[in-house]
């Protein structure tokens, strides 16, 4: 497949641009040559790190646009300045859970009437395939579907980018809960460890986002991020680490029954996380369906040299 080049660059507004993925999307859009705008919300107040991050974007050539979810007209004014809107609002229970706020953004896009593409905050499991998800983690998928339904009811052109586990949360820790770094001596293996999972570096997810947003091939489509070399079983991920370190970890194989045994005793955020892990590592929800070449990001954009998990894990050695 040939390298993509879609002519003139687009004007893109990133909402949630100071977040973990959002900041990477801003950088990727700038690197792609898009005229990049970042929503600056007055609610950040005296959050020094966010203010400094916004100013660093400005130094790189981004435009800061003021707007608040509590001020509809400010959102309308913001989206009127661009062709494409990308939302990177957080949707995980242990941080800020802001998925429904995007409904206000959709209302602004409807009124503005000029937006050629909207990419809502998705990036993980495909919510259209998660109708069976366990509560309370199911809330994430229900809210994402509510956002999708509002987008489609309004006739807003869109792209949904989904399909992989962020390496920062699932890769560097060898998929262990409660930590972001690899275990030193022992590791829990979910089930028999042979269910296929998909991992992606957030920087690569951001690059794919920047590629899709003005690509006519991705209009009104779901694009799955499935880098071929990063489709790994849990055991394969652990074995990559063992090869890098030269040390074999003690493995405890955790049955589905044991994994969920005391879920009701946990805090809500932990319950949601357990449910998501169960769907990924026991059910295989990321890889239990086929995806065509024209729907898969690494096939659409072979010029993106994505990070393999052996490369990703080297920094932890």
């Amino acid at each position: 497949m040939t390298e993509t080049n879609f002519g003139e660059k687009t004007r893109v507004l990133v909402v949630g641009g100071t977040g973990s993925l959002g900041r990477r999307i801003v950088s990727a859009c700038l690197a792609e040559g898009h005229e990049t705008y970042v929503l600056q919300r007055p609610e950040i107040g005296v959050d020094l790190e966010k203010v400094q991050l916004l100013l660093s974007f400005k130094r790189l050539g981004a435009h800061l646009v003021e707007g608040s979810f509590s001020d509809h007209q400010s959102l309308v004014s913001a989206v009127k300045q661009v062709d494409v809107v990308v939302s990177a609002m957080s949707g995980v229970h242990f941080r800020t859970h802001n998925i429904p706020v995007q409904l206000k953004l959709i209302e602004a896009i409807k009124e503005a009437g000029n937006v050629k593409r909207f990419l809502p905050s998705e990036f993980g499991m495909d919510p259209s395939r998660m109708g069976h998800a366990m509560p309370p983690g199911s809330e994430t998928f229900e809210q994402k579907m509510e956002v999708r339904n509002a987008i489609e009811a309004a006739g807003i052109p869109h792209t949904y980018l989904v399909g992989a586990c962020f390496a920062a949360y699932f890769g560097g820790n060898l998929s262990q809960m409660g930590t972001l770094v690899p275990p030193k001596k022992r590791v829990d293996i979910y089930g028999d460890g042979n269910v296929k999972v998909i991992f992606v570096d957030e920087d690569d997810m951001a690059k794919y986002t920047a590629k899709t947003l003005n690509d006519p091939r991705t209009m009104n489509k779901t694009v799955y991020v499935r880098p071929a070399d990063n489709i790994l079983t849990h055991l394969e991920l652990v074995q990559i680490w063992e090869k890098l370190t030269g040390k074999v970890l003690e493995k405890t194989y955790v049955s589905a029954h044991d994994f969920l045994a005391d879920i009701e005793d946990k805090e809500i955020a932990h319950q949601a996380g357990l449910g998501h892990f169960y769907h990924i590592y026991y059910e295989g929800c990321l890889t239990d369906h086929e995806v065509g070449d024209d729907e898969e990001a690494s096939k659409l954009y072979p010029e993106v040299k994505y990070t393999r998990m052996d490369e990703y894990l080297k920094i932890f050695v």
Side-chain angles (χ1 to χ4, degrees):
M1 194 172 291
T2 56
E3 187 163 321
T4 51
N5 182 8
F6 302 111
E8 73 178 67
K9 300 302 179 180
T10 195
R11 296 173 300 161
V12 55
L13 173 67
V14 180
V15 180
T18 59
S20 178
L21 181 62
R23 69 186 68 184
R24 291 170 166 85
I25 291 174
V26 173
S27 297
C29 287
L30 287 167
E32 193 68 15
H34 297 310
E35 189 175 338
T36 304
Y37 295 72
V38 186
L39 190 69
Q40 179 177 340
R41 294 154 62 194
E43 289 83 0
I44 64 173
V46 293
D47 190 326
L48 182 61
E49 287 188 2
K50 287 187 177 181
V51 172
Q52 289 180 334
L53 186 58
L54 287 169
L55 293 175
S56 74
F57 292 151
K58 192 173 181 181
R59 281 192 287 272
L60 291 172
H63 308 278
L64 303 184
V65 185
E66 291 192 7
S68 171
F69 286 108
S70 60
D71 181 352
H72 174 70
Q73 285 306 318
S74 73
L75 288 181
V76 174
S77 298
V79 301
K80 276 186 174 178
Q81 299 180 51
V82 299
D83 308 303
V84 175
V85 178
V86 178
S87 172
M89 305 298 291
S90 175
V92 290
H93 283 76
F94 63 88
R95 296 175 70 126
T96 51
H97 192 80
N98 287 330
I99 295 298
V101 174
Q102 294 176 104
L103 296 171
K104 295 183 179 182
L105 191 56
I106 291 167
E107 289 301 313
I109 290 171
K110 278 166 61 177
E111 182 172 328
N114 62 294
V115 171
K116 298 175 183 174
R117 190 88 62 102
F118 178 43
L119 282 72
S121 184
E122 297 246 351
F123 310 112
M125 288 174 264
D126 182 350
S128 72
R129 302 185 62 86
M130 298 305 297
H132 66 291
M134 291 188 294
S138 55
E139 179 184 41
T140 300
F141 310 118
E142 291 161 1
Q143 291 175 350
K144 286 182 176 181
M145 286 308 299
E146 185 181 2
V147 170
R148 282 193 184 192
N149 292 336
I151 291 168
E152 292 167 26
I156 298 168
H158 56 271
T159 299
Y160 305 137
L161 205 65
V162 300
C165 292
F166 288 167
Y169 289 117
F170 295 88
N173 57 1
L174 307 186
S175 303
Q176 304 302 286
M177 301 190 78
T179 182
L180 296 177
V181 297
K184 298 259 191 317
K185 295 181 180 178
R186 58 169 303 278
V187 61
D188 284 340
I189 302 293
Y190 306 122
D192 62 8
N194 291 320
V195 171
K196 290 285 187 183
V197 179
I198 304 167
F199 302 92
V200 65
D201 185 327
E202 290 89 328
D203 286 324
D204 295 334
M205 182 65 85
K207 290 173 187 175
Y208 290 131
T209 302
K211 292 281 186 185
T212 62
L213 55 81
N214 67 340
D215 184 348
R217 299 174 300 174
T218 62
M219 175 74 80
N220 295 333
K221 290 185 74 171
T222 298
V223 176
Y224 292 85
V225 178
R226 288 188 170 192
D229 291 339
N230 287 353
I231 303 175
L232 304 165
T233 68
H234 191 193
L235 269 178
E236 286 170 339
L237 180 71
V238 172
Q239 286 161 359
I240 288 170
W241 175 249
E242 290 177 332
K243 186 176 179 180
L244 284 171
T245 60
K247 297 177 182 176
V248 176
L249 295 173
E250 177 191 337
K251 298 173 184 66
T252 301
Y253 291 83
V254 183
S255 70
H257 177 270
D258 289 346
F259 185 77
L260 296 174
D262 59 351
I263 186 170
E264 292 177 358
D265 299 332
K266 308 292 186 185
E267 294 182 2
I268 293 296
H270 196 168
Q271 287 184 33
L274 284 167
H276 290 179
F277 267 63
Y278 176 80
H279 296 307
I280 293 166
Y281 291 95
Y282 291 90
E283 290 186 347
C285 68
L286 297 180
T287 55
D288 63 359
H289 53 287
E290 296 298 318
V291 173
D293 287 357
D294 63 340
E295 301 170 294
E296 201 284 302
S298 68
K299 299 274 196 339
L300 287 170
Y301 312 109
E303 65 272 22
V304 175
K305 305 303 179 189
Y306 63 83
T307 302
R308 276 72 174 167
M309 284 303 98
D310 55 347
E311 299 165 331
Y312 186 87
L313 286 169
K314 281 180 183 174
I315 191 66
F316 294 98
V317 176

